[in-house]
Amino acid sequence: MFSKEDLEQIKGKGISLDKIEKQLEVFRNGAKHIKLYRNIEKYQDINEITTYPVKPLDEKYKIVSFIPASGAATRMFDNLYKTLDEINKVGEENFILKTDNNPQSTFTFFNKIKKFAFYDELKECLKNDKLSLNELLKKNKYKTILEYILTEKGLNFGSEPKALIPFHKEDGRIKYAFEEHISEAVRYTKSKDVYLHFTLSPEYVDEFYSKAHEVKKYYESKFKKNIHIEISVQSPATDTIAVNLDNTLFRNPDNSLLFRPGGHGALIHNLNKIEADFIMIKNIDNVVPDSKKKLIIKHRSEMLGNFLNLCELKHYYVNLVNHARLHGEEIDISLIGMTCFTAFKIFLPQDYESLQYKEKLEVLFNLLNRPMRMCAMVRNEGEPGGGPFVTYKNDGLSMQIVEKSQIDMENPSQAKMLEEAKYFNPVDIICFMIDVNGEKFNLEEYIDNDAIFISNKTKDGKALKALELPGLWNGAMSDWITIFVEVPIETFNPVKTVNDLLRPAHQG
């Protein structure tokens, strides 16, 4: 099946032939679905954060904000690209921008263009080429404006990562998406040292470092803290092979194999290399200006405080159980078993009560000595994406974040559970990854490799099938202890389209 050149290409990417064979087997047999047991119930499975306000964590704890930021902003400007294509088809002199007060329309974009943080930069860019934005708008020269927004003629936003798009303007400052994460991170710890880790595509690293350098200096001066910014890229070894629709190998024009990035699930390997007590994960586009951060800081700080309490309780119990199992001591484990679900939302095996004492100790130790995460959830208001469910896991049950692509939508009962889902995953997660010996868990041991899924893509106009690795907060964290908490929908303000920046939450 593979030529000598194929094998050299595979070896060069650092991927084992065995892994390639398993990926091809998934294409042939189809991806496995995750089986939902039931929806999450308020108070039983998910709680509101109700503690007193928590102060920033003590400086003895190292907190790292982990922000996946590899994606280009192309989809953010999808409507503008469509409008540009339409203008090119009919000709600028024949194009009419129809009145359309839909918040996501191109008409709304141009009607409120002065409200965007990049407005002044766009004006200046046009001025450098002896063009006036006001005159272009008056004369309905939308093609020129769009080209200066999207292409290398001007701002080139269509080729920038979302991290480097100006999201907000506040106190006279243009603020990139990544900058708002820095502005948040400094508020979560008493420590003089603040740590952030961004994942980027290799082609954006130099530009990011250049812009981050100036931003870092500004916040270090403002908050009197040392800001440490790390960047990592997705390893080529996490790429997956692509196939034609008949499952034969997809080949590029030069006859080489086509490999594609394995999705954000590949970032579990980046996460695995970070040394920290707590890691906070949040999407690059879910930020607001400082004037709107108060509620977000409040709820995330309370999450941190609650999570710290649970981590300390887990640490106490896992050490107690470990000491008993290693030294043959008798301890009362009834409360520990009960706390597994009430505090940590861990389902005990169905046969747990029939086990002998020593067997129960082993079960409790293995259940508690795992990475743990607290995941914020918001009420489901129709946003696309995954959510929390109780699922079947091996011979028991488990708390999981599940994406639609993982569910068998041809099964009426499974589709109904998704339709009736009460909560949505905004990707706001706090992680604790230290084991009973004070060492960091190897996160690769807790991945559900069956949670890989198939997606339909195109390359040079040809249809293909691609594999995406178990999602970072789905299959890649499948065997973690998972605790869900409810937070207000107001804490979730993603920017999926450029017009989302016109929402009140993004207007300083």
Side-chain angles (χ1 to χ4, degrees), residues 156-373:
N156 202 25
F157 284 166
S159 298
E160 288 286 332
K162 195 178 279 189
L164 297 179
I165 299 297
F167 267 29
H168 308 129
K169 187 173 184 179
E170 198 170 37
D171 299 327
R173 282 179 56 80
I174 302 297
K175 300 173 73 177
Y176 301 106
F178 82 87
E179 180 174 344
E180 297 293 9
H181 285 278
I182 297 174
S183 186
E184 266 195 47
V186 295
R187 293 168 163 87
Y188 293 126
T189 177
K190 290 180 180 178
S191 174
K192 286 284 186 185
D193 293 291
V194 178
Y195 299 89
L196 299 100
H197 187 110
F198 295 87
T199 64
L200 291 166
S201 295
E203 64 268 28
Y204 302 135
V205 169
D206 289 344
E207 184 184 1
F208 182 91
Y209 266 129
S210 175
K211 291 183 177 177
H213 178 69
E214 292 302 317
V215 170
K216 180 169 110 59
K217 286 199 302 183
Y218 172 80
Y219 284 95
E220 285 182 331
S221 174
K222 182 176 180 179
F223 289 94
K224 309 303 179 196
K225 293 192 175 187
N226 304 313
I227 296 172
H228 307 270
I229 297 177
E230 286 187 344
I231 293 174
S232 63
V233 298
Q234 193 167 307
S235 169
T238 62
D239 289 353
T240 58
I241 198 164
V243 298
N244 295 300
L245 298 185
D246 63 357
N247 297 327
T248 57
L249 295 168
F250 187 102
R251 293 190 178 275
N252 294 308
D254 64 358
N255 206 42
S256 64
L257 300 170
L258 175 64
F259 288 89
R260 302 184 77 263
H264 63 64
L267 299 180
I268 195 70
H269 305 284
N270 303 58
L271 194 71
N272 199 32
K273 295 176 181 177
I274 297 175
E275 299 291 337
D277 295 296
F278 296 94
I279 296 179
M280 302 192 296
I281 303 174
K282 197 173 182 183
N283 278 340
I284 186 66
D285 62 5
N286 184 18
V287 287
V288 294
D290 288 351
S291 60
K292 307 292 175 70
K293 280 189 173 72
K294 186 175 180 181
L295 183 70
I296 289 150
I297 300 298
K298 173 182 181 293
H299 283 277
R300 222 172 187 215
S301 296
E302 290 176 354
M303 272 182 68
L304 266 169
N306 277 258
F307 191 55
L308 173 60
N309 291 337
L310 288 171
C311 290
E312 289 177 343
L313 180 62
K314 182 176 91 84
H315 182 74
Y316 171 74
Y317 277 150
V318 78
N319 276 281
L320 191 65
V321 169
N322 192 41
H323 190 270
R325 62 189 276 273
L326 293 178
H327 297 89
E329 293 182 355
E330 290 279 339
I331 60 171
D332 183 1
I333 58 173
S334 58
L335 179 60
I336 301 174
M338 186 185 306
T339 306
C340 274
F341 184 77
T342 56
F344 306 122
K345 306 305 178 185
I346 298 171
F347 293 89
L348 295 175
Q350 290 183 349
D351 64 349
Y352 177 78
E353 292 302 331
S354 65
L355 299 177
Q356 298 297 314
Y357 171 75
K358 287 185 178 179
E359 293 173 321
K360 286 182 177 180
L361 279 180
E362 288 301 319
V363 168
L364 291 174
F365 177 76
N366 290 327
L367 288 175
L368 289 168
N369 191 39
R370 293 183 289 158
M372 186 161 76
R373 61 180 178 162

Side-chain angles (χ1 to χ4, degrees), residues 78-120:
D78 192 48
N79 268 2
L80 301 190
Y81 273 110
K82 288 177 180 175
T83 300
L84 184 57
D85 286 343
E86 189 179 344
I87 294 172
N88 287 331
K89 284 177 184 175
V90 302
E92 191 169 33
E93 65 281 358
N94 299 318
F95 177 77
I96 298 173
L97 184 63
K98 295 176 183 177
T99 301
D100 181 354
N101 292 319
N102 182 318
Q104 295 295 340
S105 70
T106 303
F107 176 85
T108 298
F109 173 84
F110 280 113
N111 194 38
K112 299 185 177 181
I113 194 168
K114 291 183 179 180
K115 290 182 175 288
F116 290 103
F118 53 79
Y119 174 74
D120 288 335

Side-chain angles (χ1 to χ4, degrees), residues 110-133:
F110 280 113
N111 194 38
K112 299 185 177 181
I113 194 168
K114 291 183 179 180
K115 290 182 175 288
F116 290 103
F118 53 79
Y119 174 74
D120 288 335
E121 189 179 359
L122 176 61
K123 275 181 68 175
E124 194 62 29
C125 201
L126 285 159
K127 185 179 177 182
N128 290 339
D129 288 343
K130 297 180 172 50
L131 294 169
S132 164
L133 179 54

Side-chain angles (χ1 to χ4, degrees), residues 66-70 197 199 234 262-272 274 279-283 373 375 400-401 403 406 425 427 429 431 433 443 446-448 451 453 468-480 482:
F66 183 87
I67 302 104
S70 303
H197 187 110
T199 64
Q234 193 167 307
H264 63 64
L267 299 180
I268 195 70
H269 305 284
N270 303 58
L271 194 71
N272 199 32
I274 297 175
I279 296 179
M280 302 192 296
I281 303 174
K282 197 173 182 183
N283 278 340
R373 61 180 178 162
C375 309
Q400 298 287 337
I401 297 172
E403 300 286 340
Q406 296 177 276
N425 170 36
V427 187
I429 302 170
C431 308
M433 305 180 301
L443 303 184
Y446 298 87
I447 300 171
D448 177 5
F453 60 92
E468 296 208 22
L469 298 175
L472 181 58
W473 39 84
N474 311 117
M477 295 181 175
S478 176
D479 289 332
W480 291 38
T482 298

